Amino acid sequence: MINKSLGFLLSILFLSLLNQVHVSAHNYVPRNIDIERSPKNILIGSYVGGRSHLKPMLDIAAILTERGHNIILLASGSYEQSSEYPGLKQITLGPRLTVEDSKDGIENLDDFRIMAEFMKIRANIYNKIYEKYMNTAKEYNIDLFFCDGFANEACLDVANNLKIPVVGFTAFLLLIDPKPYKSDPFLGCNISLENESFFERFRCTLIQPLQVAFEFLSPRRQLIDARNQMNVKTDLERLPKLSLALIDTFFGFELPQTLPPNVQVIGPVMSEEYPPLTPELSDFINSNKRILYVAFGARLNTTTETNNKILQSLVEVINKKLVDGIIWKLPEASMDNLSPTLNLADGTQIQTLPIVNNEHPQFLITKFTPQFAILNHTNTKLFFNHGGVGSVHEALYTGTPILTLPFGNDQLGNAQKLKTAGVALSLDKHNLDVNDIVNKIDFLLKDEHVKKNSERMKFLARINSKRKYRAADLVEYILYSNSLLDKSVNDNFLKEWVPAEYRMGFIKANNLDIYGVLIGIILIFIGRITFKLIRYTLTRSSVKIKSKKA
Ligand SMILES: *[C@@H]1O[C@H](CO)[C@@H](O)[C@H](O)[C@H]1NC(C)=O
Ligand SMILES: *[C@@H]1O[C@H](CO)[C@@H](O)[C@H](O)[C@H]1NC(C)=O
Ligand SMILES: *[C@@H]1O[C@H](CO)[C@@H](O)[C@H](O)[C@H]1NC(C)=O
Ligand SMILES: *[C@@H]1O[C@H](CO)[C@@H](O)[C@H](O)[C@H]1NC(C)=O
């Protein structure tokens, strides 16, 4: 029996080998992978501008430029790093907006309220921005809008008005595809509602959204007025139409969820090249084996109290020999926000000026840091950061664990996501405590799970970083299919990827009407039975009463 089946297996093996020999005798010719393309004009629009918003978009644009398309950037401020993207043409939308800069990092409102403030400012200059987009689109004969998804309605509105396809870009998935089981500290709740109590889910599902809607009532009103002035046709509540949304994140860091096909997760978008270490940094990193790299957002102005606590913690971790080198990126504005002396936990007093002046051998304090190259170095063991998405991607890509001190916006949610992924711990800016910082640094440096999780994230970030080419492919597909659209029937761009549920509406798409009828039928049925039962008992009792009387 065994012999028989063995013989059978061997003969199959033999046959398949024979088959392979047979097949490879053919002369193979390459599959044709060429696609038809002609140069198009693409407008990248960002209302807030700035490196963190523009860089990933420009990394995708760099691929499109290489493929022969023309890119025009329309963004606030002037993009300082345009030398990174030679040939890029920028038109400015005006000076950069600074709600955050005007206040210090700690006292800032850290949730949707600051966004509402921001929206008000934006509504006030909507008309100006709208005209800029419109004029640029006409002047450069734009074929596709590539819009930063944040506070950038004018970009979408102009594209929709001109019937030009528009691709949205954001790192904040919640903005594009909210789910009932996900939220964000930005909205006053945790990132996941999976393990929250009923009351917490009730609060996050009904009460918080009402509060958010209330806060946005007046900025939204202003925006609608501004739109009416410009004769922009948009329904009151419907967001402007995106042909495709590209999300600069990846599942593993982002909590998993289902997505419609026209929402594509394509991050982390990383550049091909990064600036190398300066000789000074290179010497420092190579002569110390365990580096802690500290950098908060460039636009963040930390208070003296915060800076003192951070510096004290850094000195403590050096004294405890948890690390042997610290690189601290300290902006000029923050350098003055430091007390001249600090008291350590063991009672000794230290002078801060020598440290800031780089006289302490284990400190390197600088204004400019080639961040990726520092994180990329094997001696960099931990990243102490505010949790901005660009920095987070670089840390995950290089497998560096993170201690986050989130200040606001998406940073609080990022900190929670990193913690859930097991690669980070986070601090509370309202409750900063030196002991807490030291203990968390100690834990992150020593814990085996953190090391393994960081390696896992590194692999995932690396394979996913290739998806920027897919992002460029999809933009090209929209451009190409657009040229084949039948304009007379008011075709939608990329309609082949829009699930029917968006056309059917919430009730029909979820068959709620059918369930409604079913519940109705059941209720009628129950009602009739109850009615009959009541009548039956009533007649019985009345019979009894009658018979008693008789
Ligand atoms: C969020 O999660 C943390 C634990 O990670 C928990 O302590 C907290 O109560 C949760 N809820 C809110 C609103 O932060
Ligand atoms: C919720 O709890 C379950 C069971 O303990 C766990 O598997 C899951 O990861 C938790 N979810 C989150 C978002 O922490
Ligand atoms: C940073 O804060 C200090 C006071 O804490 C202030 O003097 C300084 O002007 C601020 N800098 C910026 C750029 O906002
Ligand atoms: C990152 O590290 C690798 C080796 O680990 C090196 O080849 C590469 O040049 C480094 N890149 C940067 C930007 O430092």
Side-chain angles (χ1 to χ4, degrees):
M1 186 64 188
I2 291 172
N3 268 348
K4 228 180 179 178
S5 32
L6 203 67
F8 182 59
L9 278 177
L10 278 175
S11 59
I12 286 183
L13 201 66
F14 182 66
L15 274 177
S16 59
L17 279 176
L18 204 70
N19 221 9
Q20 272 182 13
V21 173
H22 179 69
V23 168
S24 60
H26 281 293
N27 276 329
Y28 274 32
V29 287
R31 160 175 65 98
N32 184 1
I33 56 163
D34 293 346
I35 54 172
E36 223 176 284
R37 55 165 70 99
S38 56
K40 299 279 193 222
N41 302 322
I42 299 168
L43 182 125
I44 296 187
S46 173
Y47 174 63
V48 277
R51 190 181 157 83
S52 61
H53 278 259
L54 292 180
K55 187 151 176 55
M57 294 177 88
L58 291 174
D59 282 327
I60 294 171
I63 303 168
L64 292 164
T65 307
E66 216 162 82
R67 296 179 183 176
H69 304 291
N70 307 312
I71 308 287
I72 288 125
L73 173 66
L74 190 56
S76 297
S78 65
Y79 185 58
E80 326 81 56
Q81 261 83 20
S82 53
S83 61
E84 286 177 288
Y85 304 94
L88 180 73
K89 181 167 179 52
Q90 187 193 344
I91 301 162
T92 184
L93 270 178
R96 282 203 65 185
L97 260 163
T98 50
V99 175
E100 296 140 275
D101 294 359
S102 55
K103 299 174 192 156
D104 86 75
I106 301 295
E107 297 310 322
N108 261 350
L109 300 168
D110 48 18
D111 58 11
F112 55 89
R113 288 177 191 92
I114 194 169
M115 202 59 61
E117 285 300 309
F118 196 81
M119 295 296 174
K120 275 182 201 159
I121 302 178
R122 180 223 41 200
N124 285 339
I125 51 170
Y126 173 89
N127 299 1
K128 218 179 83 199
I129 304 280
Y130 184 93
E131 302 226 291
K132 271 229 163 102
Y133 272 116
M134 185 60 93
N135 294 340
T136 313
K138 286 180 176 160
E139 186 180 341
Y140 292 94
N141 205 3
I142 295 298
D143 298 297
L144 181 133
F145 273 65
F146 191 17
C147 300
D148 179 1
F150 180 74
N152 202 13
E153 286 84 355
C155 189
L156 310 185
D157 287 346
V158 169
N160 283 324
N161 251 21
L162 294 174
K163 294 197 169 20
I164 294 173
V166 48
V167 176
F169 188 91
T170 181
F172 202 44
L173 180 54
L174 197 72
L175 197 69
I176 301 289
D177 195 37
K179 291 283 177 207
Y181 50 87
K182 284 170 90 171
S183 185
D184 198 274
F186 181 71
L187 303 172
C189 292
N190 276 348
I191 47 165
S192 171
L193 304 182
E194 183 183 353
N195 297 327
E196 301 288 341
S197 66
F198 174 82
F199 292 105
E200 184 61 10
R201 285 195 298 123
F202 186 88
R203 187 180 72 84
C204 294
T205 309
L206 296 179
I207 298 171
Q208 278 302 111
L210 274 179
Q211 229 179 335
V212 174
F214 180 75
E215 202 72 35
F216 278 84
L217 218 55
S218 102
R220 183 166 291 166
R221 196 62 264 159
Q222 286 179 14
L223 184 65
I224 291 168
D225 289 344
R227 277 173 166 162
N228 286 342
Q229 276 179 30
M230 303 304 288
N231 282 324
V232 176
K233 296 165 294 202
T234 45
D235 310 326
L236 205 73
E237 277 313 310
R238 260 190 36 196
L239 284 168
K241 263 188 306 196
L242 285 173
S243 312
L244 171 73
L246 299 175
I247 317 294
D248 183 16
T249 190
F250 62 103
F251 293 126
F253 166 54
E254 177 67 52
L255 296 183
Q257 67 169 73
T258 52
L259 288 173
N262 53 353
V263 176
Q264 295 268 323
V265 175
I266 49 87
V269 175
M270 308 283 293
S271 300
E272 288 309 281
E273 289 176 341
Y274 285 91
L277 292 174
T278 58
E280 186 192 24
L281 275 166
S282 180
D283 282 351
F284 186 81
I285 296 189
N286 284 320
S287 56
N288 296 291
K289 292 287 163 282
R290 301 170 63 72
I291 302 277
L292 168 61
Y293 171 46
V294 189
F296 301 105
R299 302 214 290 150
L300 212 65
N301 192 8
T302 39
T303 56
T304 306
E305 200 193 348
T306 310
N307 283 339
N308 286 348
K309 282 181 181 166
I310 292 174
L311 182 57
Q312 191 194 332
S313 316
L314 299 181
V315 174
E316 304 269 6
V317 295
I318 286 281
N319 288 351
K320 289 192 165 173
K321 300 199 166 25
L322 298 178
V323 295
D324 56 12
I326 285 171
I327 300 171
W328 190 3
K329 180 185 175 187
L330 197 59
E332 193 97 57
S334 293
M335 280 203 190
D336 304 329
N337 297 353
L338 255 180
S339 299
T341 57
L342 291 177
N343 293 318
L344 298 186
D346 63 4
T348 48
Q349 199 177 56
I350 53 156
Q351 306 286 320
T352 57
L353 200 62
I355 297 180
V356 175
N357 289 339
N358 277 330
E359 285 158 24
H360 191 300
Q362 279 157 313
F363 273 85
L364 182 60
I365 295 192
T366 107
K367 273 167 266 169
F368 165 76
T369 53
Q371 176 159 301
F372 183 84
I374 294 174
L375 293 171
N376 185 40
H377 199 288
T378 45
N379 288 355
T380 305
K381 303 296 182 197
L382 186 64
F383 187 21
F384 188 5
N385 177 253
H386 64 303
V389 72
S391 297
V392 164
H393 284 172
E394 291 178 8
L396 292 173
Y397 189 91
T398 53
T400 317
I402 313 172
L403 177 63
T404 52
L405 174 56
F407 289 95
N409 302 337
D410 60 335
Q411 295 157 16
L412 293 143
N414 291 341
Q416 282 193 8
K417 287 172 195 171
L418 290 168
K419 206 173 151 198
T420 307
V423 299
L425 291 177
S426 75
L427 302 167
D428 178 1
K429 71 171 184 180
H430 298 295
N431 254 320
L432 212 52
D433 174 62
V434 173
N435 260 333
D436 185 38
I437 301 179
V438 174
N439 290 340
K440 281 176 173 163
I441 290 178
D442 188 29
F443 177 84
L444 289 167
L445 287 168
K446 289 179 182 158
D447 189 71
E448 281 306 312
H449 297 291
V450 171
K451 287 201 178 77
K452 282 185 183 154
N453 291 333
S454 301
E455 289 301 318
R456 236 163 16 96
M457 282 298 135
K458 176 173 159 184
F459 197 101
L460 206 49
R462 285 186 185 212
I463 56 173
N464 283 328
S465 69
K466 294 175 191 157
R467 294 188 295 185
K468 66 175 182 177
Y469 294 99
R470 177 168 171 75
D473 289 344
L474 294 176
V475 168
E476 283 200 292
Y477 174 66
I478 292 180
L479 282 166
Y480 180 73
S481 67
N482 185 30
S483 64
L484 301 176
L485 278 188
D486 187 353
K487 295 272 163 40
S488 62
V489 292
N490 207 6
D491 249 344
N492 275 335
F493 312 111
L494 206 66
K495 67 168 187 296
E496 58 274 47
W497 273 13
V498 181
E501 61 191 86
Y502 293 96
R503 294 186 293 269
M504 292 168 77
F506 184 74
I507 291 181
K508 240 177 106 184
N510 290 295
N511 282 342
L512 293 185
D513 48 350
I514 292 175
Y515 296 127
V517 170
L518 180 66
I519 290 171
I521 291 172
I522 291 172
L523 284 181
I524 289 171
F525 195 67
I526 292 173
R528 289 197 62 158
I529 290 179
T530 328
F531 182 67
K532 274 192 179 156
L533 272 175
I534 290 170
R535 217 171 53 182
Y536 178 71
T537 31
L538 279 181
T539 42
R540 286 272 319 242
S541 46
S542 64
V543 168
K544 267 187 198 163
I545 290 164
K546 270 182 197 163
S547 60
K548 258 189 192 166
K549 274 187 182 168

